[in-house]
């Protein structure tokens, strides 16, 4: 079968591979719609997770079940499914310990597609533990909406959960690429009051407002910390969700946060040795400014909950889809668009 | 000064009283808009909190500050303010113990107006600890909106908080009077997916849908437990918010709840000795069906957070205002409307 | 193989059954030590969970692995293991939803032994999902200590967890049978300050004090509510753990609890239709007196954590073992002792 | 009155000052026993909080009430009291917002003694809001025990609370000076299983074991991260409490922590611009390794809860008192001992 792969750091190509073999609990799925992700760019062009060779890329897919293993109970050939980017192993002692499933076999191991096995940019792909990791996409929900749930929506919303947003909270969302936009939407949907969205591209700013941002902070117009502190009369914000920025962004977040506030980081830091916490703004370690951070939840129930939110009209993640391509081949062009990051690109997708 | 009072159980009248004297931390406020509450009805006609004589009624008011004590820092004569129904004492050891402020001097003691002192249905009323209990009503927010925050909105939203609603949760709200309607709005605003609203009056049903209810359950059409279990394929719901019903409603809530689910009760149970928990539906005490319950939060910051939600367009509580009266005198007519409970009444108010 | 069984409600007998067949993830275990539980008495003599015929009793066992299925990774023939009373199915969507594993396939379904399959009072017994439900018993820990973990310790400690005991909290534990004693020990180990233990039998009182009870409340000397309110100058306690009593005990717990306090119920209520919550003591539904309740956690990690507590000397649950019998036959005599409830019996066990 | 003061950075001296004037809610207290703290050393010799002139030092005191303001209800002249290091203002909107009281008027403002007003090393000292900040020391508790509660015990225990230690958790405590020792004791008292204590001084090691440490990790014998990872078979620990170390210690904590684990920092970082979080060990921001950090809780109820723990025999913090001096003059010698940090010094105190 054909797939679009990372040949090595810095190089992509179309390759041919054997169709994956599935085990008794697994499923084989063919894509109906695919989206490239910024992290694919990091993986290929920055070597952020190290070298990978001949690995099919991609982890955002809506698909159709082609085959299921003998022990699969709830899915069958032909089912239209949302495939989460994160497909953990659910039978581990880590989960009993309360470790998020994303790390159930070790740190980040729930992230399998385009990391520790072939991704979804192929004619077929393998899904481990189908009953626990797939979710039926109802007819009333579009492929585009479903596709935005795999990673963008669950990630953005997880930032809101980790930051523990409350009714009437003041929130800052740093970065309004697609994950940040979903964090804005999630903060509004979680009951935030004022929401600062930090970004500059007009396409993103427009959608951020539609999703509930009340104040746009443009980093091109000066320090975002200064702008937000001024706008809050130096009180700072109750919660910061980090969805973009370089390694100094954690320091910005700590500085704009109130004592007793919480940071929810969903940014993937791809470079450098460390992220500095500024000592004084962190109260010399005594300010009760909590730092939460983590990989997005995956698995079946998470996707079913994202589906419920769209089905019942709470949010429309498809607003972020700016470009529509076609065919499996579309992933190459889509990835290029993410790479060159044209001003009007938020999220390109391809319909197979 | 004139006030509309409970003379004794079963009897109301207009009376004259001395204008309240304020202490150094207090404020004297005159009403700009007032609303009667179902609990005023309970107080007067059911004697739910016991006998009271010559006590001015009412605990929902937006007003103007007339005078402040010498130690008040943040409020001054002329300020337009939201006055929460619950105005706790904030300097108690109970608060340090983590007891909700509503009980900071003993169970329910944060509820002062029309309970342990004269209420707001007078030409003037007394507010204890103004800096901690009043909130400025911004010009952009209407009197009607402000008035709905004092009790209805903070109560309904507290049900959602106690039930611990999560993204995509399935929620049942039992009762869609004004508090239940705010619970529906709060559940949607907190990220619920499917929301069952239990009620029957068309006026309320219409608003419940506008606030986010996805399924209306009419108790006149059979057991609400059966209807909700059928609609959820016998799984039950993740959360129940009780905002109405007689003493059997807790049993209904337990029965329609999933193991591991949470009930948030905001209903004021005015009669009977006890509320039965059904043994079998509660898993003989082993089902992990948690029962949370409590009086609505008051105080300044709570009101400021409600204000933020309206100011930033997250919710409009004024939709519930069905009848507009005028003058202080309007409270008498308003109370009658709550008492006779005409089909089209949700919330009557009077503008002074 | 031989087993001690419930023939029908009210009748026990020794029977012969086929040795259980194990699946690929399961284990076959032979007992090394067994203990009867009060709930066996409820099951047989009160018919508390309904009729059962020819079902082997018992759910407290330490054993030796005899055989493992092909997919079992971490256990092998000969391993000495603690077998939790609760052995859930861990691959269900309920667990992804955050439902406690005890209910992962439906309410109380994690409780399998002597409920929905044969129990442990046989020459061999079947353990589902060995990797997820068994725990190695280290050599340094005695059979008696291990045996107390299966149900008594995990249950008592869960009461403490559900009641959310904090440093310096005042706690009441109602009932000082073995589960209540473990709740006392758990409360002390969780950092409680003053601990009221409600009971009367001298054997239990002595152990309760050793485990950390600071005040003994004897219900034979008057209302336990009155005694505890007097001892706390009418403030009541921060937390109540219910580990015994009839259906009125929940009302007692609510009444002796402070506003803002939490009840953790671990009592199995075997009779009657309902448990009444007293309306006034519950603040007419507004007192923020939370009621938590649930079946004890089982599974491998829970047992490993109980093992760690014993291994590192934090608690010795074997103090509760008052009678030692021998042989599989001992379970009959042990059960009789639980049934007649002699004054000096806390926990009888038998060593095979 | 006489007091031992910081004249400027690097210089201490005895000075004379006016006896403090108290307001209506305040108390004047004379010390019965005093202890110097490492943070006094930081304040004077590292200028950690900036320049201070003629400021009396000290924030650990047990004393006797000399005078109370007109509004003080619960304390009177002659009362023997524990005085917490942290004495917040309790009537602020920050507290209503859920901000820890330590920051109720702004970051770290609850820390008043020897920071924003004169400390306790004088013949008399001023306590703001006596009813909310003092606690009666019962006769059964020694001055030494009471003195260890003001800062050492509440701080160490707060690390345990922030790290969210559970029954059977594996915990690492980095640093076993007096705060770290209290973190060890608190972790054991909170139900931890295995406890790694990182330190080297024999006096401290001995007490750490008495307080419940199961493994001593000596940083002089190699990387503490390596030692702890080896000892846990590379799983890492569930919780880390940081109670010592330079700015690299946060990186060590992140590295030895399991995914899903929590750090509770109670270390006061006195130097440098920032604290680096190691990118890879933090899972590039995706490992769910949470970082909690904050100033110790003060106020009356906190002290009362510490008192309850000592009164009911849960812990004896006086084990840490290694040196006993006498008279107010003793504070000078005590401070010197903290400064030169002799091998056998844990905590010197002086009895007035």
């Amino acid at each position: 079968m054909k797939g679009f792969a990372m040949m090595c750091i810095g190089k992509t190509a179309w390759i041919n591979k054997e169709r994956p073999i599935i085990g008794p609990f697994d499923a084989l799925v063919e894509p109906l719609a695919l989206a490239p992700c910024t992290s694919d760019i990091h993986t290929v062009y920055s070597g952020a997770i190290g070298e990978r060779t001949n690995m099919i890329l991609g982890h955002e897919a809506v698909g159709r079940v082609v085959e299921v293993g003998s022990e699969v109970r709830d899915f069958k050939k032909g089912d239209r499914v949302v495939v989460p980017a994160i497909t953990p192993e659910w039978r581990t002692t880590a989960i009993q310990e309360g470790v998020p499933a994303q790390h159930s076999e070790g740190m980040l191991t729930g992230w399998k597609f385009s990391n520790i096995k072939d991704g979804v940019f192929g004619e077929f792909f393998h899904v481990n533990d189908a009953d626990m990791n797939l979710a039926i996409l109802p007819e009333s929900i579009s492929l585009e909406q479903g596709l935005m749930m795999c990673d963008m929506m669950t990630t953005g919303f997880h930032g809101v959960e980790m930051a523990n947003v409350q009714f009437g909270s003041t929130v800052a969302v740093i970065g309004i690429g697609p994950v940040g936009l979903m964090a804005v939407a999630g903060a509004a949907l979680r009951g935030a009051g004022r929401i600062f969205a930090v970004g500059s591209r007009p396409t993103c700013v427009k959608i951020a407002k539609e999703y509930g941002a009340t104040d746009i902070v443009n980093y091109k117009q000066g320090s975002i910390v200064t702008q937000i502190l001024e706008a809050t009369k130096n009180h700072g914000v109750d919660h910061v969700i980090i969805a973009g920025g370089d390694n100094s962004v954690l320091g910005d977040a700590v500085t704009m946060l109130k004592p007793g506030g919480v940071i929810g980081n969903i940014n993937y830091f791809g470079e450098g040795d460390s992220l500095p916490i500024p000592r004084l703004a962190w109260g010399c370690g005594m300010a009760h400014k909590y730092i939460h951070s983590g990989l997005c939840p995956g698995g079946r129930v998470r996707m079913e909950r994202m589906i419920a939110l769209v089905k019942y009209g709470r949010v429309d993640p498809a607003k972020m889809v700016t470009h529509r391509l076609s065919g499996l081949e579309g992933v190459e062009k889509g990835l290029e668009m993410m790479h060159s990051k044209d001003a009007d690109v938020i999220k390109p997708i391809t319909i197979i």
Side-chain angles (χ1 to χ4, degrees), chain A:
Chain A
M1 64 169 212
K2 204 169 87 166
F4 188 67
M6 168 177 183
M7 305 312 290
C8 58
I9 292 178
K11 181 158 186 289
T12 58
W14 288 94
I15 59 174
N16 266 290
K17 281 201 155 181
E18 291 298 310
R19 196 166 137 152
I21 304 297
I22 61 169
F25 294 95
D26 305 336
L28 188 73
V29 177
E30 62 179 351
L32 294 173
L34 294 168
C37 177
T38 311
S39 51
D40 290 307
I41 302 299
H42 289 316
T43 301
V44 177
Y45 296 105
S46 319
I49 52 172
E51 184 59 282
R52 297 288 189 279
T53 52
N54 306 329
M55 179 185 72
I56 295 177
L57 289 163
H59 52 258
E60 300 185 30
V62 169
R64 179 169 287 124
V65 175
V66 172
E67 189 188 337
V68 296
S70 58
E71 303 296 319
V72 173
R73 297 169 303 223
D74 299 343
F75 295 87
K76 59 178 194 308
K77 188 176 168 176
D79 283 345
R80 202 171 77 130
V81 290
V82 176
V83 184
I86 307 302
T87 53
E89 165 62 29
W90 294 89
R91 240 181 99 258
T92 73
T93 53
I95 285 183
Q96 290 189 19
E97 282 178 346
V99 171
Q102 299 89 309
H103 316 289
S104 68
E105 298 169 280
M107 193 162 73
L108 304 182
T109 48
W111 175 20
K112 294 185 168 40
F113 291 124
S114 67
N115 178 16
I116 57 182
K117 72 174 183 185
D118 279 327
V120 299
F121 291 173
E123 289 178 84
F124 301 97
F125 55 86
H126 169 274
V127 177
N128 61 303
D129 204 342
D131 283 329
M132 296 294 272
N133 285 322
L134 290 177
I136 296 288
L137 184 68
E139 287 307 312
S140 65
I141 299 183
S142 72
L143 291 177
E144 298 187 359
Q145 288 173 321
L147 199 48
M148 292 302 104
M149 298 173 192
C150 312
D151 184 349
M152 301 300 100
M153 189 171 158
T154 181
T155 302
F157 281 33
H158 193 48
V160 176
E161 293 167 325
M162 289 191 295
N164 198 19
V165 171
Q166 300 296 320
F167 282 132
S169 289
T170 298
V171 179
V173 177
I174 305 181
I176 49 173
V179 163
L181 287 172
M182 284 288 97
V184 169
L189 191 55
R190 190 96 194 135
R194 191 176 192 178
I195 301 176
F196 293 92
V198 176
S200 65
R201 290 192 295 151
T203 318
C204 297
V205 164
K206 177 175 171 293
I207 304 289
K209 286 179 179 168
E210 288 180 32
Y211 279 147
T214 58
D215 297 73
I216 303 297
V217 176
N218 188 337
Y219 54 84
K220 295 180 177 169
Q221 292 169 3
S223 154
I224 62 171
V225 171
T226 306
Q227 290 182 68
I228 288 176
L229 286 177
E230 277 176 8
T232 57
K233 297 178 183 167
N234 274 322
H235 285 108
V237 297
D238 300 306
H239 314 271
V240 181
I241 301 165
I242 304 177
D246 62 22
N247 292 10
S248 70
V249 70
L250 190 58
D252 287 349
V254 164
T255 311
M256 69 176 67
L257 190 69
K258 279 185 193 169
V262 188
I263 292 168
N265 176 66
I266 42 179
N267 202 29
Y268 166 32
F269 293 102
E271 296 176 9
D273 285 339
S274 64
L275 311 164
I277 303 180
R279 187 180 66 87
L280 286 175
W282 208 44
C284 308
M286 300 184 290
H288 285 96
K289 296 184 175 182
Y290 285 9
I291 302 173
H292 293 179
S293 181
L295 180 64
C296 65
R300 174 175 174 177
V301 167
R302 180 69 172 185
M303 289 303 110
E304 289 176 346
R305 286 185 164 244
M306 298 298 111
I307 288 167
L309 289 171
V310 174
K311 178 177 173 185
Y312 294 111
R314 309 301 180 200
V315 68
D316 179 9
K319 288 187 181 187
M320 301 188 304
V321 178
T322 49
H323 296 76
R324 286 158 189 81
L325 305 158
S326 67
L328 179 57
E329 299 68 28
V331 298
E332 183 171 6
K333 169 80 174 157
L335 206 65
E336 267 170 44
M337 294 170 80
M338 296 301 281
H339 196 190
S340 57
K341 237 184 173 174
D342 294 339
D344 61 344
V345 173
I346 300 178
K347 201 77 191 175
I349 68 164
T350 186
I351 305 287
I352 317 301

